[in-house]
Amino acid sequence: MYLIVNLAVFALLITFLVKQQQSDQTLSKRVFTGLGLGVIFGAALQFFYGAGHEAIATTLKYVGIVGSGYVSLLKMIVMPLIMVSIIAAIVKVKNAGSLGKISGLSIGILLATTAVSALIGILVSNMFGLSAEGIVQGAREIARGEALQTHLTSVETLSLADMIISFFPGNPFADLAGSRPTSTIAVVIFSAFIGVASLTVIRTQPELGKSLETFVNVAQEVVRTLVRMVLALTPYGVLALMTKVVAGSNYNDILNLLNFVVASYVGLGLILVMHLILVAGVGVNPVRFLKKILPVLTFAFTSRSSAGTLPLNIETQVKKLGNGEAVSNFSASFGATMGQNGCAGLYPAMLAVMIAPTLGIDPLDPGFIMTLIAIVTISSFGIAGVGGGATFAAIIVLSALDMPVALAGLLISIEPLIDMGRTAVNVSGAMTAGTVTSRVLGQADNSIFDSDEEISGERANA
């Protein structure tokens, strides 16, 4: 009986969002409405049934059809969007030489901000006096630690050279299927080669070139239409995802580790301020920038997937921030698999500082700090932009510092809560890199940024 009642309430919430769409509410407003309704519904489930009740678990299985289904649809369009958009951008720009500048500057900004994020993590951890000594390991933490220890064998075989080699698309069809953590970068590289080859055909065979340009334009418009169709479902996905997060959280665990949660969000807030300072440095109004990217950060927060946020990230960079198409695609794609400020920058640094005192290491020692920042920055290559990426980054950093990897499982009980903020900051870093790169290279359309118009398809009836 309880399942029927719970799902009936969820259906009413879905119906409310549908009516909002029919009343011509913008996508941004509907996303925030879905977020609020998800928090309320999730909290209500906790209040009426209590944490861990079977009624909640059963309800979330069916609610997850909407949330997980939406995320799967987003992942479905990621690779086609990247491939078609990058090829189209290169064909339109007609300047293959600019690709090196775009890639180099975007990656440079992502890595530089990751290094600063690691420093912020070190400072915040010391400021809050975080230490692994005071954390009690329960059954879940012990099991997680053992699993990470087993996983360490494969991690230890990785090197920077191996990571770089993994970027190359040995089998582009497998990478289009997302078979590897670095598949996104591999598809970017493959698409860039196709784009450059297309330029050669256009230049050397004008007749074929015209047909090729027409095909690329048609393919891009089809993919864009598909993206708009999927993005229109965002409010429903956010509702389901937020319900799952709130209803599935254990608030006793959160209270026990409240110091770490607060420290993490203070650090994430400082990173976000750094992003706003960077965009302000290239003449972009930081308040306006934040307002335009807030719906994207909201979805990243609820979905906990940098890769899943890619379509909305790219669409917003082009249609609301006025960043060049090539820059937007490169920065968003690179930002989903390297230089993640939250998952690969802040979190591993905080964890290392917490563990250091248990090994007799002074967390304020300059040598330790410089070594940690360097390792965190290098290790940020190839971290998958999906849930669990931060743990993988932590394993690499801790193993490089000869610290016990099993301790990375200490915070599993609050992992979802912190991962939401980390993912939002990851996406903010990618959009910051795209904005700065576009302004520095003169590939931005400031009239779009200054406009208050919504992105394509933002209106419900578009």
Side-chain angles (χ1 to χ4, degrees):
M1 183 65 182
Y2 64 80
L3 179 61
I4 296 175
V5 173
N6 293 342
L7 293 182
V9 173
F10 184 67
L12 286 175
L13 297 178
I14 293 287
T15 302
F16 179 78
L17 290 176
V18 170
K19 289 187 177 298
Q20 269 203 323
Q21 181 175 350
Q22 292 172 343
S23 65
D24 203 29
Q25 291 287 336
T26 63
L27 180 61
S28 298
K29 292 180 180 178
R30 289 186 287 122
V31 166
F32 284 111
T33 301
L35 175 67
L37 292 176
V39 171
I40 294 171
F41 185 46
L45 290 175
Q46 280 263 13
F47 177 77
F48 285 109
Y49 298 106
H53 195 281
E54 182 184 352
I56 294 179
T58 305
T59 300
L60 292 182
K61 284 183 180 180
Y62 290 93
V63 170
I65 294 174
V66 177
S68 300
Y70 174 66
V71 173
S72 295
L73 289 176
L74 280 173
K75 292 178 179 178
M76 172 190 75
I77 62 177
V78 165
M79 294 307 186
L81 174 64
I82 292 173
M83 184 173 183
V84 172
S85 298
I86 287 180
I87 293 172
I90 295 173
V91 169
K92 290 176 182 177
V93 172
K94 291 185 169 58
N95 182 9
S98 65
L99 298 182
K101 294 180 181 178
I102 292 172
S103 301
L105 189 53
S106 296
I107 293 173
I109 294 170
L110 287 169
L111 295 182
T113 53
T114 298
V116 176
S117 298
L119 178 60
I120 290 174
I122 294 169
L123 296 177
V124 168
S125 297
N126 282 292
M127 183 173 68
F128 279 80
L130 300 181
S131 174
E133 291 178 333
I135 300 178
V136 178
Q137 294 192 59
R140 292 177 66 199
E141 286 77 13
I142 294 174
R144 175 74 161 181
E146 291 174 350
L148 294 176
Q149 194 69 45
T150 302
H151 188 57
L152 176 62
T153 305
S154 62
V155 173
E156 287 181 324
T157 62
L158 294 175
S159 66
L160 179 60
D162 293 328
M163 289 183 184
I164 294 175
I165 291 172
S166 71
F167 295 160
F168 292 95
N171 185 343
F173 297 102
D175 286 319
L176 284 168
S179 61
R180 303 182 296 152
T182 55
S183 284
T184 303
I185 297 180
V187 170
V188 170
I189 294 174
F190 176 66
S191 303
F193 272 103
I194 295 293
V196 173
S198 299
L199 284 181
T200 303
V201 172
I202 292 170
R203 185 172 56 253
T204 58
Q205 303 181 59
E207 290 300 319
L208 283 178
K210 290 179 182 179
S211 300
L212 178 58
E213 286 190 75
T214 300
F215 171 76
V216 170
N217 290 334
V218 171
Q220 185 179 34
E221 193 54 40
V222 169
V223 171
R224 281 179 172 174
T225 302
L226 179 61
V227 168
R228 287 193 288 269
M229 290 168 58
V230 175
L231 292 184
L233 302 174
T234 301
Y236 313 107
V238 168
L239 166 64
L241 292 167
M242 206 64 210
T243 297
K244 181 179 179 180
V245 169
V246 176
S249 297
N250 188 316
Y251 297 106
N252 289 327
D253 288 340
I254 294 174
L255 290 175
N256 291 335
L257 295 170
L258 187 61
N259 198 33
F260 184 84
V261 174
V262 173
S264 296
Y265 274 91
V266 168
L268 293 170
L270 292 174
I271 295 173
L272 186 59
V273 170
M274 171 184 66
H275 294 163
L276 298 180
I277 292 173
L278 284 174
V279 298
V282 291
V284 172
N285 184 319
V287 176
R288 193 176 188 83
F289 172 81
L290 183 60
K291 180 181 177 181
K292 285 177 174 283
I293 71 171
L294 199 54
V296 187
L297 302 189
T298 300
F299 175 72
F301 185 84
T302 53
S303 68
R304 297 171 54 202
S305 173
S306 299
T309 311
L310 263 172
L312 192 57
N313 183 339
I314 295 171
E315 183 85 350
T316 299
Q317 284 201 55
V318 175
K319 300 297 183 181
K320 296 183 76 171
L321 299 180
N323 298 344
E325 288 195 26
V327 174
S328 299
N329 280 278
F330 275 91
S331 63
S333 303
F334 286 137
T337 47
M338 67 169 63
Q340 296 179 2
N341 292 178
C343 289
L346 181 82
Y347 180 69
M350 291 183 68
L351 202 57
V353 170
M354 288 176 62
I355 295 173
T358 67
L359 302 176
I361 301 173
D362 181 5
L364 291 174
D365 177 67
F368 170 74
I369 291 175
M370 295 303 294
T371 301
L372 177 56
I373 292 174
I375 290 174
V376 166
T377 304
I378 294 173
S379 300
S380 69
F381 280 89
I383 300 300
V386 294
T391 301
F392 185 68
I395 292 174
I396 296 175
V397 171
L398 295 181
S399 62
L401 292 170
D402 290 326
M403 290 182 170
V405 173
L407 293 179
L410 287 174
L411 306 170
I412 184 175
S413 58
I414 57 170
E415 180 74 12
L417 178 63
I418 301 172
D419 198 39
M420 293 190 298
R422 291 191 308 232
T423 306
V425 166
N426 292 345
V427 174
S428 174
M431 301 182 85
T432 298
T435 301
V436 173
T437 300
S438 286
R439 267 61 183 183
V440 171
L441 298 180
Q443 297 189 19
D445 187 340
N446 289 319
S447 64
I448 294 178
F449 180 79
D450 294 333
S451 172
D452 289 325
E453 294 182 7
E454 304 287 355
I455 64 174
S456 288
E458 181 112 339
R459 287 286 175 184
N461 297 327

